[in-house]
Amino acid sequence: MAFHNNSHKWYELDNAAIIIPGSVRGSDTRVFRITCELKEDVDPDILQKALDQVLPEFSYLNCALRKGLFWYYLDSIPESAKVGKDHLPALSPLYFPGRYSLLYRVTYYGRRINLEMFHVLADGTGAFVFFRSLVTEYLSLRHGITVTRDVTETSSGEEKSSDAFSQYYRREKKSSQLRQMTSTRAYQVKGEHDPNQQNHLIEGIVSAGQFVDLAHQYHTTVGVLITALVIDAIVKDMSVHDRAKKPVVISVPVNLRRFFPSETIRNFFGVINVRYDASGYDGKLEPVIAVVKQSFAEQLVPEKISQTMNSYSALAGNFAVKLIPNLLKEPGLKFFTSLTKSGVTGSVSNLERIRMPEEIAGYIDHFAAFMSAIRFQITIASYGDKLVFGSAGSDLDHRMMLQFYRTLTKLGLSVTIATNDYNEE
């Protein structure tokens, strides 16, 4: 919900964003990055011009996070983003308590354009609507191309800044998903972490066509196969004792715009959790795929998705919670967040297949996405014939991702890997 005071606006946080300010910790800055790698070096002056031209359509983004008596809220500020060279550690914090600054940044380096954003503002799908417009405008200016705008990109600023959770929320007697999220104790990946709590990024690229063929060989979908491969990589690193103690639980964000019509760029996602009992693992991929496939089939249905959405809304809409001042509420929300995180081993997020206007498509090499996280996390972006896996975290040895890529290689795929690590082995 947006409130107006002449030209001034402020927004209530959407129901997925309310727990984010209190959940920032260490390398988990709650910042995500979307990257577009071009086939030529970026011109920063033209990129700034493109940013200035698209921002009026996305004025909602020019907000700072403020702390009220009962809730945080977004407050519009006159400041606009300035393009800068990418010089900070990846996924560096964007929110600093008491500092009223923008919650996103646009940077460049070589052939790359980067958008980093604090998760309070938007989810990956919503942020990509803005990023797609920015890249399109940049390449249009850079090469003097007139691009025909897609009719799906003509939503108003009000539609883009709408809170879709509140629009579609239906009160339910039970919030079983919240109880499930806070009651499960999942296996936690072990490893050495960066003492400076900086994020280490790995980008792995495979042929999208070959990966689709591989999924078809296993009679499944790309999403199911990726999730199964992530579970397989985690279980391979577990001891026999660990396999018998706790399940592997993979969190998979779901774009609710697929189920509820909305043009919002704000957070509008749900989560399904795929649970795998590792005690019976025999080293074969097929049984893991079967578990993931069944979990997807059971949870990715309108009724379950509606329950997912309403679970988020139930917490924000709780009358008692609303009346508790922030000072007292924050410890409870932090405890709730820690419970939900202990119920998840890692997460797999998919930006789905990316399409760009055909007039500029040939200037783009690929897209990639990364999300800061304490837990093992992987984000997928597919463009043309390049399927890109992006992982980020403070883990120094990248054991899970290396295991993941070894399996891809054994399955016959060629993998190109890049990292922001300064010292590579």
Side-chain angles (χ1 to χ4, degrees), residues 29-308:
T29 59
R30 304 313 302 269
V31 171
F32 60 85
R33 169 183 285 208
I34 305 174
T35 291
C36 175
E37 178 151 328
L38 305 174
K39 296 179 180 178
E40 60 193 1
D41 285 348
V42 175
D43 184 318
D45 294 331
I46 296 178
L47 183 59
Q48 182 66 59
K49 185 176 180 180
L51 180 60
D52 292 340
Q53 293 192 11
V54 301
L55 270 176
E57 188 181 345
F58 298 88
S59 57
Y60 156 75
L61 296 178
N62 287 336
C63 284
L65 185 63
R66 296 182 183 264
K67 185 176 182 179
L69 179 60
F70 294 100
W71 288 110
Y72 287 87
Y73 64 97
L74 293 168
D75 191 12
S76 66
I77 55 178
E79 180 183 355
S80 293
K82 300 300 179 186
V83 169
K85 195 168 185 178
D86 189 21
H87 67 280
L88 294 171
L91 307 173
S92 290
L94 276 160
Y95 168 61
F96 303 89
R99 186 190 301 179
Y100 304 128
S101 55
L102 291 171
L103 302 175
Y104 71 100
R105 64 172 70 98
V106 176
T107 62
Y108 69 94
Y109 189 86
R111 297 183 298 168
R112 293 196 166 211
I113 300 173
N114 306 306
L115 169 67
E116 290 190 330
M117 187 173 290
F118 189 44
H119 216 325
V120 157
L121 274 186
D123 57 23
T125 301
F128 189 78
V129 174
F130 166 64
F131 193 56
R132 186 180 195 269
S133 292
L134 174 62
V135 172
T136 299
E137 185 67 22
Y138 169 78
L139 289 172
S140 299
L141 293 171
R142 180 78 170 81
H143 296 283
I145 300 171
T146 300
V147 175
T148 304
R149 294 197 64 184
D150 194 303
V151 293
T152 60
E153 297 178 341
T154 57
S155 57
S156 68
E158 289 295 322
E159 289 172 315
K160 287 183 173 68
S161 63
S162 64
D163 182 356
F165 279 110
S166 62
Q167 181 180 356
Y168 290 106
Y169 171 56
R170 293 198 315 271
R171 186 178 297 277
E172 295 179 349
K173 291 183 179 179
K174 296 180 180 180
S175 182
S176 58
Q177 194 192 52
L178 282 180
R179 287 198 298 271
Q180 180 185 5
M181 289 166 63
T182 55
S183 61
T184 302
R185 295 294 177 270
Y187 171 74
Q188 302 298 313
V189 174
K190 303 173 180 65
E192 183 183 358
H193 295 280
D194 188 324
N196 297 317
Q197 298 183 326
Q198 291 187 0
N199 279 286
H200 295 251
L201 275 55
I202 292 187
E203 178 182 286
I205 305 176
V206 301
S207 163
Q210 290 179 12
F211 196 92
V212 169
D213 290 342
L214 183 64
H216 290 166
Q217 290 175 31
Y218 283 100
H219 308 288
T220 191
T221 64
V222 167
V224 168
L225 180 57
I226 292 173
T227 307
L229 286 166
V230 167
I231 292 173
D232 182 75
I234 293 170
V235 175
K236 276 185 168 69
D237 195 61
M238 296 170 68
S239 67
V240 174
H241 178 66
D242 283 335
R243 293 178 188 179
K245 281 175 57 180
K246 293 180 179 179
V248 174
V249 179
I250 299 299
S251 169
V252 182
V254 178
N255 176 17
L256 293 177
R257 299 166 187 82
R258 292 166 51 191
F259 297 87
F260 303 92
S262 174
E263 299 296 329
T264 185
I265 65 169
R266 301 179 70 179
N267 289 296
F268 194 41
F269 67 94
V271 173
I272 65 172
N273 288 327
V274 179
R275 180 188 176 107
Y276 178 76
D277 180 0
S279 60
Y281 179 75
D282 62 0
K284 296 179 181 178
L285 189 58
E286 287 86 348
V288 184
I289 290 174
V291 171
V292 177
K293 195 173 184 178
Q294 181 179 354
S295 186
F296 272 43
E298 290 175 351
Q299 297 185 69
L300 288 177
V301 294
E303 180 184 358
K304 293 290 186 181
I305 292 299
S306 181
Q307 290 176 3
T308 297

